[in-house]
Amino acid sequence: MIGRLQGQLIEKQPPWVVVDVHGVGYELETSMTTLVALPAVGERVFLYTHLSIRDDAHLLYGFGREHERALFRALIKVNGVGPKLALAILSGMDEDAFMRCVRDDDSKALTKLPGVGKKTAERLIIEMRDRFAEWENGRDAALPLEAANGQAASYRNSVADAEAALVSLGYKLTEASRMLADLDGSLSTEALIKAALTQRMKG
């Protein structure tokens, strides 16, 4: 089992990143929360990981905090929640916001996330109440990431990449386009994604 990786960030194409560890490039899918906290390409990163083994692929997921990974692992144990939906949940709200939704029976807030209907939201609330102990211990294990600096990509590329990332999370293309329509075109791809998700949850 691969538990964590430390190496050079050599590619960042939301929601995927590639980390070079002694000449081996590990491809990981990350939540948008982790992705926007990553440094610029070429910098060193440290990620907690989860390896999912399927018949047709070995998939590696990367997380900026151990607590985030623990929540991901608890989420994929919920009936009907796979890795894709778990990442969408983690991309749309942080761990504390999710905890509040569960404790306050706030299914309405959860249904704003892609792929989460009323029944799924209710199931998450019921089942995750019993799983809090599985993921609360890692709360303070923060990853030493620094927000990326450097020039933003061109508007066209940034918007296209952000749109593709939102679609990969489960939003429809038209919905993703609408979420990005009124945002500042000078923002980087990561900033556009974060702003779109924040705006969506407030809407």
Side-chain angles (χ1 to χ4, degrees):
M1 180 67 72
I2 301 173
R4 63 184 188 179
L5 291 176
Q6 183 171 0
Q8 183 182 38
L9 181 65
I10 59 174
E11 189 175 337
K12 186 162 52 172
Q13 183 66 38
W16 298 94
V17 300
V18 179
V19 179
D20 183 296
V21 182
H22 301 301
V24 178
Y26 290 88
E27 185 178 71
L28 307 95
E29 188 169 359
T30 70
S31 72
M32 294 304 144
T33 302
T34 289
L35 191 136
V36 298
L38 289 170
V41 170
E43 299 295 323
R44 291 189 64 78
V45 294
F46 180 104
L47 293 170
Y48 294 98
T49 61
H50 174 84
L51 178 63
S52 176
I53 299 177
R54 305 186 329 203
D55 290 339
D56 58 345
H58 289 196
L59 303 174
L60 196 59
Y61 300 93
F63 305 94
R65 301 198 307 160
E66 191 173 7
H67 189 230
E68 184 187 24
R69 180 182 64 178
L71 178 52
F72 173 84
R73 288 175 168 173
L75 283 169
I76 61 177
K77 292 178 182 177
V78 174
N79 185 35
V81 177
K84 181 177 180 179
L85 181 54
L87 280 185
I89 292 170
L90 292 172
S91 295
M93 59 177 58
D94 62 22
E95 302 99 310
D96 290 334
F98 180 81
M99 180 185 290
R100 284 194 298 272
C101 287
V102 173
R103 287 180 171 167
D104 297 342
D105 290 326
D106 191 357
S107 60
K108 184 177 180 180
L110 292 175
T111 58
K112 293 181 180 180
L113 300 167
V116 180
K118 184 177 180 180
K119 289 184 178 180
T120 300
E122 291 172 349
R123 189 184 309 121
L124 282 166
I125 289 172
I126 292 170
E127 295 193 31
M128 287 302 296
R129 273 206 197 98
D130 299 327
R131 301 183 190 276
F132 277 150
E134 296 180 25
W135 55 277
E136 285 185 317
N137 292 335
R139 176 175 302 278
D140 295 326
L143 182 67
L145 294 180
E146 295 182 0
N149 293 316
Q151 295 183 341
S154 68
Y155 174 77
R156 182 185 302 174
N157 290 338
S158 294
V159 172
D161 289 346
E163 192 174 79
L166 291 171
V167 170
S168 76
L169 289 174
Y171 291 103
K172 294 180 180 179
L173 180 59
T174 53
E175 188 176 14
S177 298
R178 189 165 57 250
M179 289 166 68
L180 295 165
D182 297 326
L183 298 180
D184 184 354
S186 66
L187 296 174
S188 66
T189 299
E190 293 85 355
L192 282 169
I193 294 167
K194 183 176 181 180
L197 291 171
T198 299
Q199 181 175 272
R200 167 70 175 175
M201 294 309 296
K202 289 180 178 178

mmCIF file of all heavy atoms in Angstrom, residues 50-81:
data_model
loop_
_atom_site.group_PDB
_atom_site.id
_atom_site.type_symbol
_atom_site.label_atom_id
_atom_site.label_comp_id
_atom_site.label_asym_id
_atom_site.label_seq_id
_atom_site.Cartn_x
_atom_site.Cartn_y
_atom_site.Cartn_z
ATOM 1 N N HIS A 50 -4.133 7.383 -1.137
ATOM 2 C CA HIS A 50 -4.990 6.203 -0.986
ATOM 3 C C HIS A 50 -4.945 5.455 -2.311
ATOM 4 O O HIS A 50 -5.185 6.042 -3.372
ATOM 5 C CB HIS A 50 -6.439 6.609 -0.664
ATOM 6 C CG HIS A 50 -7.385 5.446 -0.648
ATOM 7 N ND1 HIS A 50 -7.548 4.633 0.462
ATOM 8 C CD2 HIS A 50 -8.187 4.934 -1.617
ATOM 9 C CE1 HIS A 50 -8.429 3.684 0.181
ATOM 10 N NE2 HIS A 50 -8.844 3.844 -1.066
ATOM 11 N N LEU A 51 -4.641 4.180 -2.261
ATOM 12 C CA LEU A 51 -4.552 3.351 -3.460
ATOM 13 C C LEU A 51 -5.814 2.517 -3.585
ATOM 14 O O LEU A 51 -6.175 1.777 -2.674
ATOM 15 C CB LEU A 51 -3.322 2.444 -3.395
ATOM 16 C CG LEU A 51 -3.130 1.468 -4.566
ATOM 17 C CD1 LEU A 51 -2.925 2.222 -5.872
ATOM 18 C CD2 LEU A 51 -1.946 0.533 -4.279
ATOM 19 N N SER A 52 -6.477 2.648 -4.725
ATOM 20 C CA SER A 52 -7.674 1.860 -5.007
ATOM 21 C C SER A 52 -7.339 0.861 -6.102
ATOM 22 O O SER A 52 -6.896 1.238 -7.196
ATOM 23 C CB SER A 52 -8.821 2.782 -5.453
ATOM 24 O OG SER A 52 -9.948 2.023 -5.825
ATOM 25 N N ILE A 53 -7.534 -0.426 -5.812
ATOM 26 C CA ILE A 53 -7.204 -1.479 -6.772
ATOM 27 C C ILE A 53 -8.486 -2.055 -7.353
ATOM 28 O O ILE A 53 -9.331 -2.582 -6.627
ATOM 29 C CB ILE A 53 -6.374 -2.594 -6.104
ATOM 30 C CG1 ILE A 53 -5.063 -2.004 -5.566
ATOM 31 C CG2 ILE A 53 -6.089 -3.722 -7.086
ATOM 32 C CD1 ILE A 53 -4.201 -2.995 -4.821
ATOM 33 N N ARG A 54 -8.625 -1.907 -8.686
ATOM 34 C CA ARG A 54 -9.766 -2.470 -9.395
ATOM 35 C C ARG A 54 -9.268 -3.506 -10.389
ATOM 36 O O ARG A 54 -8.069 -3.640 -10.618
ATOM 37 C CB ARG A 54 -10.529 -1.370 -10.145
ATOM 38 C CG ARG A 54 -10.979 -0.226 -9.277
ATOM 39 C CD ARG A 54 -11.861 0.770 -10.023
ATOM 40 N NE ARG A 54 -11.556 0.891 -11.448
ATOM 41 C CZ ARG A 54 -11.868 1.952 -12.176
ATOM 42 N NH1 ARG A 54 -12.473 2.979 -11.617
ATOM 43 N NH2 ARG A 54 -11.585 2.002 -13.464
ATOM 44 N N ASP A 55 -10.194 -4.221 -10.984
ATOM 45 C CA ASP A 55 -9.812 -5.237 -11.964
ATOM 46 C C ASP A 55 -9.122 -4.619 -13.177
ATOM 47 O O ASP A 55 -8.221 -5.217 -13.757
ATOM 48 C CB ASP A 55 -11.052 -6.010 -12.436
ATOM 49 C CG ASP A 55 -11.629 -6.901 -11.351
ATOM 50 O OD1 ASP A 55 -10.883 -7.225 -10.404
ATOM 51 O OD2 ASP A 55 -12.815 -7.259 -11.437
ATOM 52 N N ASP A 56 -9.541 -3.399 -13.533
ATOM 53 C CA ASP A 56 -9.021 -2.780 -14.753
ATOM 54 C C ASP A 56 -8.003 -1.668 -14.503
ATOM 55 O O ASP A 56 -7.447 -1.103 -15.453
ATOM 56 C CB ASP A 56 -10.168 -2.219 -15.595
ATOM 57 C CG ASP A 56 -10.996 -1.189 -14.834
ATOM 58 O OD1 ASP A 56 -10.872 -1.126 -13.598
ATOM 59 O OD2 ASP A 56 -11.750 -0.444 -15.481
ATOM 60 N N ALA A 57 -7.739 -1.321 -13.234
ATOM 61 C CA ALA A 57 -6.799 -0.219 -12.980
ATOM 62 C C ALA A 57 -6.419 -0.138 -11.513
ATOM 63 O O ALA A 57 -7.162 -0.583 -10.637
ATOM 64 C CB ALA A 57 -7.424 1.108 -13.415
ATOM 65 N N HIS A 58 -5.234 0.420 -11.282
ATOM 66 C CA HIS A 58 -4.809 0.803 -9.938
ATOM 67 C C HIS A 58 -4.852 2.324 -9.903
ATOM 68 O O HIS A 58 -4.118 2.986 -10.640
ATOM 69 C CB HIS A 58 -3.394 0.303 -9.652
ATOM 70 C CG HIS A 58 -3.305 -1.174 -9.469
ATOM 71 N ND1 HIS A 58 -2.217 -1.792 -8.893
ATOM 72 C CD2 HIS A 58 -4.169 -2.169 -9.777
ATOM 73 C CE1 HIS A 58 -2.408 -3.097 -8.866
ATOM 74 N NE2 HIS A 58 -3.585 -3.344 -9.399
ATOM 75 N N LEU A 59 -5.687 2.895 -9.063
ATOM 76 C CA LEU A 59 -5.881 4.338 -9.015
ATOM 77 C C LEU A 59 -5.346 4.903 -7.712
ATOM 78 O O LEU A 59 -5.623 4.373 -6.634
ATOM 79 C CB LEU A 59 -7.370 4.670 -9.157
ATOM 80 C CG LEU A 59 -8.047 4.133 -10.431
ATOM 81 C CD1 LEU A 59 -9.539 4.393 -10.385
ATOM 82 C CD2 LEU A 59 -7.419 4.760 -11.666
ATOM 83 N N LEU A 60 -4.595 6.000 -7.835
ATOM 84 C CA LEU A 60 -3.980 6.621 -6.664
ATOM 85 C C LEU A 60 -4.603 7.996 -6.450
ATOM 86 O O LEU A 60 -4.713 8.794 -7.384
ATOM 87 C CB LEU A 60 -2.473 6.750 -6.897
ATOM 88 C CG LEU A 60 -1.583 7.026 -5.681
ATOM 89 C CD1 LEU A 60 -1.725 5.917 -4.631
ATOM 90 C CD2 LEU A 60 -0.116 7.128 -6.116
ATOM 91 N N TYR A 61 -5.017 8.252 -5.215
ATOM 92 C CA TYR A 61 -5.639 9.526 -4.858
ATOM 93 C C TYR A 61 -4.730 10.264 -3.874
ATOM 94 O O TYR A 61 -4.145 9.646 -2.982
ATOM 95 C CB TYR A 61 -7.017 9.294 -4.236
ATOM 96 C CG TYR A 61 -7.970 8.579 -5.167
ATOM 97 C CD1 TYR A 61 -8.088 7.192 -5.130
ATOM 98 C CD2 TYR A 61 -8.718 9.283 -6.103
ATOM 99 C CE1 TYR A 61 -8.945 6.522 -6.006
ATOM 100 C CE2 TYR A 61 -9.582 8.625 -6.976
ATOM 101 C CZ TYR A 61 -9.676 7.239 -6.921
ATOM 102 O OH TYR A 61 -10.514 6.586 -7.790
ATOM 103 N N GLY A 62 -4.616 11.588 -4.051
ATOM 104 C CA GLY A 62 -3.728 12.380 -3.210
ATOM 105 C C GLY A 62 -4.480 13.404 -2.381
ATOM 106 O O GLY A 62 -5.456 14.001 -2.854
ATOM 107 N N PHE A 63 -4.007 13.621 -1.151
ATOM 108 C CA PHE A 63 -4.691 14.521 -0.223
ATOM 109 C C PHE A 63 -3.680 15.400 0.507
ATOM 110 O O PHE A 63 -2.618 14.950 0.910
ATOM 111 C CB PHE A 63 -5.503 13.716 0.795
ATOM 112 C CG PHE A 63 -6.459 12.766 0.141
ATOM 113 C CD1 PHE A 63 -6.089 11.448 -0.095
ATOM 114 C CD2 PHE A 63 -7.703 13.198 -0.279
ATOM 115 C CE1 PHE A 63 -6.954 10.574 -0.730
ATOM 116 C CE2 PHE A 63 -8.582 12.333 -0.918
ATOM 117 C CZ PHE A 63 -8.207 11.014 -1.134
ATOM 118 N N GLY A 64 -4.062 16.652 0.698
ATOM 119 C CA GLY A 64 -3.191 17.599 1.365
ATOM 120 C C GLY A 64 -3.105 17.410 2.864
ATOM 121 O O GLY A 64 -2.137 17.833 3.483
ATOM 122 N N ARG A 65 -4.130 16.794 3.450
ATOM 123 C CA ARG A 65 -4.124 16.576 4.894
ATOM 124 C C ARG A 65 -4.532 15.140 5.195
ATOM 125 O O ARG A 65 -5.363 14.558 4.498
ATOM 126 C CB ARG A 65 -5.096 17.539 5.594
ATOM 127 C CG ARG A 65 -4.775 18.998 5.363
ATOM 128 C CD ARG A 65 -5.450 19.895 6.386
ATOM 129 N NE ARG A 65 -6.887 19.660 6.477
ATOM 130 C CZ ARG A 65 -7.616 20.015 7.531
ATOM 131 N NH1 ARG A 65 -7.042 20.579 8.569
ATOM 132 N NH2 ARG A 65 -8.908 19.807 7.548
ATOM 133 N N GLU A 66 -3.982 14.605 6.243
ATOM 134 C CA GLU A 66 -4.325 13.243 6.638
ATOM 135 C C GLU A 66 -5.806 13.146 7.015
ATOM 136 O O GLU A 66 -6.468 12.137 6.770
ATOM 137 C CB GLU A 66 -3.446 12.801 7.813
ATOM 138 C CG GLU A 66 -3.560 11.318 8.119
ATOM 139 C CD GLU A 66 -2.555 10.870 9.163
ATOM 140 O OE1 GLU A 66 -1.860 11.726 9.734
ATOM 141 O OE2 GLU A 66 -2.480 9.664 9.406
ATOM 142 N N HIS A 67 -6.325 14.224 7.577
ATOM 143 C CA HIS A 67 -7.736 14.256 7.962
ATOM 144 C C HIS A 67 -8.638 14.169 6.737
ATOM 145 O O HIS A 67 -9.695 13.521 6.757
ATOM 146 C CB HIS A 67 -8.004 15.544 8.745
ATOM 147 C CG HIS A 67 -9.361 15.597 9.367
ATOM 148 N ND1 HIS A 67 -10.189 16.669 9.221
ATOM 149 C CD2 HIS A 67 -10.024 14.699 10.134
ATOM 150 C CE1 HIS A 67 -11.323 16.440 9.874
ATOM 151 N NE2 HIS A 67 -11.249 15.263 10.438
ATOM 152 N N GLU A 68 -8.218 14.818 5.648
ATOM 153 C CA GLU A 68 -8.998 14.764 4.410
ATOM 154 C C GLU A 68 -9.002 13.340 3.858
ATOM 155 O O GLU A 68 -10.030 12.839 3.400
ATOM 156 C CB GLU A 68 -8.422 15.746 3.380
ATOM 157 C CG GLU A 68 -9.250 15.821 2.103
ATOM 158 C CD GLU A 68 -8.600 16.653 1.017
ATOM 159 O OE1 GLU A 68 -7.365 16.803 1.035
ATOM 160 O OE2 GLU A 68 -9.330 17.138 0.131
ATOM 161 N N ARG A 69 -7.852 12.688 3.897
ATOM 162 C CA ARG A 69 -7.783 11.300 3.426
ATOM 163 C C ARG A 69 -8.660 10.393 4.285
ATOM 164 O O ARG A 69 -9.341 9.503 3.764
ATOM 165 C CB ARG A 69 -6.342 10.793 3.440
ATOM 166 C CG ARG A 69 -6.230 9.342 2.952
ATOM 167 C CD ARG A 69 -4.811 8.826 3.007
ATOM 168 N NE ARG A 69 -4.287 8.753 4.366
ATOM 169 C CZ ARG A 69 -3.070 8.295 4.658
ATOM 170 N NH1 ARG A 69 -2.267 7.901 3.688
ATOM 171 N NH2 ARG A 69 -2.653 8.267 5.912
ATOM 172 N N ALA A 70 -8.653 10.610 5.588
ATOM 173 C CA ALA A 70 -9.466 9.789 6.478
ATOM 174 C C ALA A 70 -10.950 9.959 6.171
ATOM 175 O O ALA A 70 -11.711 8.978 6.187
ATOM 176 C CB ALA A 70 -9.176 10.150 7.931
ATOM 177 N N LEU A 71 -11.370 11.186 5.874
ATOM 178 C CA LEU A 71 -12.766 11.413 5.517
ATOM 179 C C LEU A 71 -13.086 10.740 4.186
ATOM 180 O O LEU A 71 -14.160 10.139 4.029
ATOM 181 C CB LEU A 71 -13.059 12.915 5.439
ATOM 182 C CG LEU A 71 -14.477 13.307 5.019
ATOM 183 C CD1 LEU A 71 -15.524 12.604 5.876
ATOM 184 C CD2 LEU A 71 -14.664 14.824 5.107
ATOM 185 N N PHE A 72 -12.183 10.823 3.226
ATOM 186 C CA PHE A 72 -12.369 10.144 1.937
ATOM 187 C C PHE A 72 -12.587 8.647 2.158
ATOM 188 O O PHE A 72 -13.505 8.043 1.583
ATOM 189 C CB PHE A 72 -11.129 10.379 1.059
ATOM 190 C CG PHE A 72 -11.117 9.601 -0.227
ATOM 191 C CD1 PHE A 72 -11.770 10.082 -1.351
ATOM 192 C CD2 PHE A 72 -10.439 8.390 -0.320
ATOM 193 C CE1 PHE A 72 -11.749 9.360 -2.553
ATOM 194 C CE2 PHE A 72 -10.409 7.668 -1.505
ATOM 195 C CZ PHE A 72 -11.065 8.162 -2.621
ATOM 196 N N ARG A 73 -11.760 8.045 2.999
ATOM 197 C CA ARG A 73 -11.864 6.612 3.260
ATOM 198 C C ARG A 73 -13.178 6.261 3.957
ATOM 199 O O ARG A 73 -13.751 5.194 3.715
ATOM 200 C CB ARG A 73 -10.666 6.141 4.084
ATOM 201 C CG ARG A 73 -9.376 6.102 3.279
ATOM 202 C CD ARG A 73 -8.171 5.760 4.133
ATOM 203 N NE ARG A 73 -7.008 5.458 3.298
ATOM 204 C CZ ARG A 73 -5.784 5.264 3.770
ATOM 205 N NH1 ARG A 73 -5.554 5.325 5.077
ATOM 206 N NH2 ARG A 73 -4.784 4.988 2.946
ATOM 207 N N ALA A 74 -13.660 7.155 4.818
ATOM 208 C CA ALA A 74 -14.952 6.918 5.470
ATOM 209 C C ALA A 74 -16.095 7.066 4.470
ATOM 210 O O ALA A 74 -17.055 6.289 4.487
ATOM 211 C CB ALA A 74 -15.127 7.883 6.640
ATOM 212 N N LEU A 75 -15.974 8.042 3.587
ATOM 213 C CA LEU A 75 -17.035 8.287 2.602
ATOM 214 C C LEU A 75 -17.216 7.108 1.640
ATOM 215 O O LEU A 75 -18.345 6.733 1.312
ATOM 216 C CB LEU A 75 -16.725 9.559 1.799
ATOM 217 C CG LEU A 75 -16.996 10.894 2.500
ATOM 218 C CD1 LEU A 75 -16.392 12.036 1.700
ATOM 219 C CD2 LEU A 75 -18.494 11.113 2.690
ATOM 220 N N ILE A 76 -16.115 6.532 1.174
ATOM 221 C CA ILE A 76 -16.253 5.456 0.183
ATOM 222 C C ILE A 76 -16.795 4.164 0.796
ATOM 223 O O ILE A 76 -17.102 3.221 0.063
ATOM 224 C CB ILE A 76 -14.925 5.180 -0.567
ATOM 225 C CG1 ILE A 76 -13.823 4.747 0.405
ATOM 226 C CG2 ILE A 76 -14.502 6.407 -1.364
ATOM 227 C CD1 ILE A 76 -12.506 4.396 -0.306
ATOM 228 N N LYS A 77 -16.937 4.143 2.119
ATOM 229 C CA LYS A 77 -17.569 2.991 2.779
ATOM 230 C C LYS A 77 -19.092 3.146 2.841
ATOM 231 O O LYS A 77 -19.795 2.192 3.159
ATOM 232 C CB LYS A 77 -17.016 2.820 4.194
ATOM 233 C CG LYS A 77 -15.556 2.403 4.234
ATOM 234 C CD LYS A 77 -15.068 2.297 5.671
ATOM 235 C CE LYS A 77 -13.590 1.926 5.730
ATOM 236 N NZ LYS A 77 -13.088 1.881 7.127
ATOM 237 N N VAL A 78 -19.573 4.351 2.537
ATOM 238 C CA VAL A 78 -21.012 4.592 2.540
ATOM 239 C C VAL A 78 -21.623 3.952 1.298
ATOM 240 O O VAL A 78 -21.085 4.070 0.194
ATOM 241 C CB VAL A 78 -21.317 6.103 2.564
ATOM 242 C CG1 VAL A 78 -22.815 6.367 2.417
ATOM 243 C CG2 VAL A 78 -20.800 6.725 3.850
ATOM 244 N N ASN A 79 -22.728 3.279 1.470
ATOM 245 C CA ASN A 79 -23.400 2.611 0.366
ATOM 246 C C ASN A 79 -23.720 3.591 -0.767
ATOM 247 O O ASN A 79 -24.355 4.621 -0.545
ATOM 248 C CB ASN A 79 -24.705 1.975 0.875
ATOM 249 C CG ASN A 79 -25.407 1.165 -0.200
ATOM 250 O OD1 ASN A 79 -24.770 0.530 -1.042
ATOM 251 N ND2 ASN A 79 -26.721 1.188 -0.183
ATOM 252 N N GLY A 80 -23.247 3.285 -1.965
ATOM 253 C CA GLY A 80 -23.521 4.123 -3.118
ATOM 254 C C GLY A 80 -22.546 5.248 -3.343
ATOM 255 O O GLY A 80 -22.685 6.023 -4.302
ATOM 256 N N VAL A 81 -21.532 5.378 -2.489
ATOM 257 C CA VAL A 81 -20.534 6.447 -2.646
ATOM 258 C C VAL A 81 -19.200 5.843 -3.076
ATOM 259 O O VAL A 81 -18.586 5.082 -2.331
ATOM 260 C CB VAL A 81 -20.346 7.236 -1.336
ATOM 261 C CG1 VAL A 81 -19.251 8.296 -1.505
ATOM 262 C CG2 VAL A 81 -21.650 7.889 -0.915
#
